[in-house]
Amino acid sequence: MGVKQQIDDAIFLFENGRYIGGLTNALLAAAGSSRKMFPKATTKSIKYPGKEMGDGEAFELFLRTSDQRAKFEDGVPLNAGHSMVALPFRGKQLTIEHILYKYYRCHLAHQSELPSDVEFDPSHNGNGARIDFQDNKLILDAGWLKILIDKVVNSPVNGPEFGITHYGLDPVAPNEEEFKSLLCEKRNITPGHFEILQLAARALSPEKISQSNDQMLKRDFKDIVQREVINGGMLGGLRSRQIVNDSFDLTDRGAEILREVAAGYKLVRIS
């Protein structure tokens, strides 16, 4: 069974009321995709230098890889990306990727059930992905299933299976990290905000952004929001820095920053 079959099964099961089965298949598809991106025999750990990268680290890093590509140096991924969300759970501050792996994927794969303090709520059908705490239980909704499916389907490592051609961003500046750091400091944004804007730049293309006036850019940004290229959690982060407004429309400040981010990259075909 390939990754596409697992995703097809996840969608079929969810649409037919087998919600946990659908979630399980999506998590397994993400796990399988993570090992395509970070092969077990050749990928070295970032967390534990000198050791082979474990399944959990590969899974979490796959979900955090914003440009959908893994870049390596001597078998070590060049960076670990930035978490989508971090939240308090079981007395610790944990990333959503870690929670999805340890308390959802591992429990479902090895014990065929979720822990007593973790639930999956299939009822929410709105935009974005929600996290709730009720009666000392952590509850993730169906939006997280969509994020998992989208991440798997739109990963270049799965391009041939899904028949999708992928494009990525290559830096124009000789030192990408310096470019990112200087822009973050200048605009008072975090690396996480920068990476979200990278997603927008890839979806719209740096060339198109450079040729668009503010009205066109705001219209095109609205389109990728409606298509959920950028999801609700990401939009909340952008809103906190006045990059988008309360309606998630790109602000004048946001348009300026997006142009600056896009100017540092060119679009290239990667699969």
Side-chain angles (χ1 to χ4, degrees):
M1 176 187 292
V3 167
K4 185 178 185 303
Q5 182 66 59
Q6 287 179 317
I7 291 296
D8 289 345
D9 288 351
I11 295 170
F12 176 83
L13 288 167
F14 188 85
E15 290 179 344
N16 286 275
R18 309 293 289 191
Y19 304 120
I20 296 298
L23 177 64
T24 301
N25 273 273
L27 288 163
L28 292 176
S33 300
S34 74
R35 277 314 188 182
K36 285 186 178 182
M37 184 174 283
F38 305 106
K40 195 165 189 175
T42 58
T43 307
K44 298 176 183 177
S45 174
I46 297 174
K47 292 170 62 176
Y48 307 106
K51 295 187 177 181
E52 182 182 281
M53 180 176 284
D55 291 341
E57 185 178 0
F59 180 94
E60 295 176 35
L61 187 52
F62 171 76
L63 293 184
R64 292 200 302 269
T65 305
S66 62
D67 193 32
Q68 300 185 341
R69 285 184 294 174
K71 300 176 183 178
F72 298 89
E73 186 172 288
D74 296 328
V76 182
L78 291 178
N79 66 72
H82 296 274
S83 176
M84 295 182 284
V85 179
L87 61 148
F89 184 61
R90 294 193 178 185
K92 298 179 180 179
Q93 192 75 6
L94 302 176
T95 66
I96 188 65
E97 304 92 73
H98 181 74
I99 289 170
L100 282 167
Y101 180 76
K102 184 170 183 179
Y103 300 109
Y104 284 83
R105 183 267 181 200
C106 287
H107 268 263
L108 289 171
H110 302 304
Q111 300 180 38
S112 300
E113 62 181 2
L114 293 174
S116 60
D117 56 350
V118 167
E119 287 187 8
F120 176 63
D121 176 15
S123 62
H124 175 57
N125 293 314
N127 292 330
R130 297 192 306 186
I131 301 169
D132 290 324
F133 288 95
Q134 296 178 13
D135 301 323
N136 296 318
K137 289 185 178 182
L138 168 67
I139 305 171
L140 301 186
D141 77 348
W144 291 102
L145 175 64
K146 186 178 187 309
I147 286 175
L148 285 168
I149 291 174
D150 286 350
K151 190 72 178 178
V152 170
V153 171
N154 292 307
S155 173
V157 297
N158 296 323
E161 280 196 67
F162 290 96
I164 299 174
T165 299
H166 290 277
Y167 296 86
L169 296 177
D170 273 359
V172 174
N175 189 323
E176 182 182 13
E177 288 305 311
E178 182 181 19
F179 167 74
K180 181 186 298 186
S181 177
L182 289 173
L183 199 154
C184 286
E185 182 178 359
K186 172 186 174 183
R187 288 298 191 172
N188 189 29
I189 61 174
T190 68
H193 296 122
F194 185 98
E195 291 184 3
I196 295 169
L197 292 173
Q198 276 185 303
L199 291 176
R202 188 183 72 232
L204 299 177
S205 94
E207 182 180 11
K208 184 176 182 181
I209 290 172
S210 70
Q211 296 172 353
S212 300
N213 60 34
D214 281 2
Q215 183 179 1
M216 295 167 61
L217 184 55
K218 291 177 180 180
R219 180 201 64 203
D220 291 341
F221 185 86
K222 192 177 189 72
D223 177 65
I224 64 171
V225 169
Q226 291 173 341
R227 291 190 286 116
E228 297 189 20
V229 173
I230 298 176
N231 64 44
M234 294 177 181
L235 289 167
L238 296 181
R239 183 175 55 186
S240 71
R241 298 302 169 96
Q242 295 80 52
I243 295 170
V244 299
N245 60 24
D246 289 343
S247 299
F248 299 143
D249 294 322
L250 193 66
T251 64
D252 290 342
R253 164 179 156 81
E256 291 176 359
I257 300 175
L258 178 55
R259 289 185 194 283
E260 290 181 290
V261 170
Y265 295 91
K266 60 182 178 180
L267 199 67
V268 295
R269 180 172 176 172
I270 57 177
S271 72

